[in-house]
Amino acid sequence: MRKDVRILLVGEPKVGKTSLIMSLVSEEFPDVVPYRAEEITIPADVTPERVPTHIVDYSDAEQTDEQLFQEISKANVICIVYSVNNKKSIEKVTSHWIPLITENTDKDSRVPLILVGNKSDLVEHSSMETILPIMNQYSEIETCVECSAKNLKNISELFYYAQKAVLHPTGPLYCPEKKDMKPLCVKALTRIFKVSDLDNDGILNDNELNFFQRTCFNTPLEPQALEDVKNVVRRNMSDGVCENGLTLKGFLFLHTLFIQRGRHETTWTVLRRFGYDDDLELNQDYLFPPLKIPPNCTTELNHNAYLFLQSVFDKHDKDRDCALSPEELRDLFDVFPYMPWGPDVNNTVCTNDQGWITYQGYLSQWTLTTYLDVQRCLEYFGYLGYSIIAEQESQAAGITVTRDKKIDLQKKQTQRSVFRCNVFGDVGSGKSSFLQGFLGRNLTQQNTIREEHKSFYAISTTYVYGQEKYLLLHKVFPDFDYLSDADLACDIVCLVYDVSNPYSFEYCARVFKQYFMDSKTPCMLIAAKSDLPELKQLYGCSPMDFCRRHKMPPPQSFTCNTAGPPSRDIYTRLATMAMYPHARLRCMCTCNRCTFCLCQNFLNSELLQTVRAKLYAVCFSLCHRHVTHADLKSSNFWLSASVGATMFAVLGFAMYRVLLKQR
């Protein structure tokens, strides 16, 4: 809605333009009327719509045509004043003033006109019979007001209608010739109906109507008033009310009735509450509320946003199969001006056996959008009506901006729930298969994906020490010389090489040495296609030695050539390393040479198993033999127990040191 209103009064000389302004201000007819009144500003607190109003007079005796043209271009609404007792001034409305205004205004921005018949105190008849054909001829004419500056008749009403014509214009809403709402208005109200239909049954029941009323007008409808509204619709159309609820046709009919009865401010209040501007387009301030994101911070959905998305999913999952069919997905995005998700989304998130996006995949895609492009997420939430349905100030209330990653590293803990893994590898190394494996697709299923539908991203959930986290995999284009900051900014790096290609590892080694060797970003090497015969990599050292030299975990074997879904263990390890980059994680190898493997082998040895069994037997017998009260009080008993525990601890530590020295 406009922040102020500028009203211009034009017309033939001596019709009373200046008198109207002065009578409004002084509330009495002036004894002396100047040629032209100075511009007057009425404060917002004394206007019905609480908007500052500027009233501008025109006089051909004091102003040039150029000045008139400038005022016309600046005006929000123009009042063409004529004298009801002067036929020539009425004729000039169509022969001079309307064409002049049309020539000096932008064709795309229509300026509303108000016809003002002044000096009604001098005649006993009305001029409306003459004016009505003019109003029917020119759609830009909002209304006609007959008034008297001398008797103060309809003076306040005149300027109220002028203000109303700017703030609540009829033109964008209604076509007088067709006596029906315009297509853009119907489209906007249809979206509002669908957003307000919380259970998606095509009917606004009493609870939904009350929520709608409270949202737009801050007050619920009384039961009788609600019934009266439905009765009005019933009397005028047979399919406007169904199962005691308002259908879309009934909803549109009500607003048509409001406009026809001059209550178009009601429709405008609804439209503006749902984010529409004067051109019936969603306002940019509504779609893109301010959201400050400091450097090194990421964006995630908060709990309230996930609850809202869950309600939207449940609303459109009509068959309750926890997946959205193509028809259900189109219905969900029907409130959008375009389809936001393409075929690649089905290869970015988890789907069911039919290829439909599951509930988990649906939430994952929203999480991905929020992480990669939060402005687009805000826009999508605006289309879905998040701020209205969730009763929040704006869509930004559903976004959490995480703290700086440097602070997480310093404090050695994080509250983030989304972690990004950039996947590097040479052409044909198996990066795409690695991404699809995260979504549970084996090689056979991956071969059915069309090339144009492949995605550079894959996102799903995994559990890190019992906490559900989102892991976002991003396949980086293998152009070694043109890696952008976005390609390098991540929580963990995944370097994929093909075990059956002797030249594949070299690319991973070069990427690591040039970009990640001196960074604090954890890296993991993936030995892809491990089902194929492994060939020696033609590089200065083997992948195992390379990892040992650079203190990386040993290469992790991976294959998608399985009967069922590929193992998800490797993805859990990636998420764990991303969440705890500062920690030394458990060894993930079977090299039989590192300290961890030596300790594991010793703990699993037959000798230690025998000793452990004997210790258990002794402890079991001690627990079950009769211990007297005197034994418990005996210092010798407790001294023996303490010495035994100490010797066991010292022996264990000594064994650890010996193994470490060997390593």
Side-chain angles (χ1 to χ4, degrees), residues 591-605:
C591 66
N592 294 321
R593 287 181 291 177
C594 68
T595 304
F596 181 84
C597 289
L598 291 172
C599 290
Q600 282 288 93
N601 292 339
F602 177 75
L603 290 174
N604 294 327
S605 65

Side-chain angles (χ1 to χ4, degrees), residues 1-125:
M1 194 163 75
R2 292 185 180 275
K3 295 181 179 180
D4 61 357
V5 174
R6 191 175 181 86
I7 303 172
L8 173 64
L9 274 68
V10 299
E12 293 301 296
K14 307 295 183 181
V15 293
K17 301 184 294 296
T18 308
S19 299
L20 288 170
I21 297 173
M22 298 187 71
S23 295
L24 173 72
V25 175
S26 62
E27 296 185 350
E28 62 179 4
F29 187 70
D31 296 329
V32 179
V33 180
Y35 283 110
R36 175 174 173 268
E38 295 297 325
E39 180 178 327
I40 294 169
T41 299
I42 302 174
D45 56 352
V46 296
T47 60
E49 299 292 339
R50 302 296 180 191
V51 176
T53 303
H54 311 281
I55 302 174
V56 181
D57 192 11
Y58 165 71
S59 171
D60 62 351
E62 293 190 358
Q63 291 175 285
T64 63
D65 288 345
E66 186 62 31
Q67 289 174 315
L68 173 61
F69 300 155
Q70 290 178 1
E71 289 295 347
I72 289 174
S73 64
K74 291 190 292 183
N76 302 128
V77 57
I78 299 175
C79 296
I80 304 177
V81 185
Y82 65 90
S83 176
V84 294
N85 64 343
N86 185 338
K87 290 185 179 180
K88 185 178 179 181
S89 68
I90 298 176
E91 292 171 359
K92 282 284 189 176
V93 170
T94 55
S95 63
H96 176 69
W97 290 109
I98 293 180
L100 179 70
I101 293 167
T102 304
E103 290 172 8
N104 290 278
T105 53
D106 190 356
K107 293 180 180 179
D108 296 330
S109 57
R110 169 185 171 277
V111 179
L113 305 177
I114 305 289
L115 299 185
V116 182
N118 193 22
K119 303 183 181 181
S120 63
D121 59 293
L122 299 180
V123 296
E124 295 182 356
H125 63 276

Side-chain angles (χ1 to χ4, degrees), residues 251-284:
F251 184 75
L252 295 175
F253 168 78
L254 269 182
H255 283 281
T256 305
L257 199 62
F258 290 146
I259 297 168
Q260 289 174 341
R261 293 184 177 181
R263 291 178 53 193
H264 36 280
E265 65 271 14
T266 302
T267 301
W268 273 116
T269 301
V270 171
L271 289 166
R272 287 185 175 127
R273 178 67 184 89
F274 279 79
Y276 289 92
D277 60 17
D278 292 347
D279 298 321
L280 296 184
E281 299 288 343
L282 284 170
N283 200 306
Q284 294 298 298

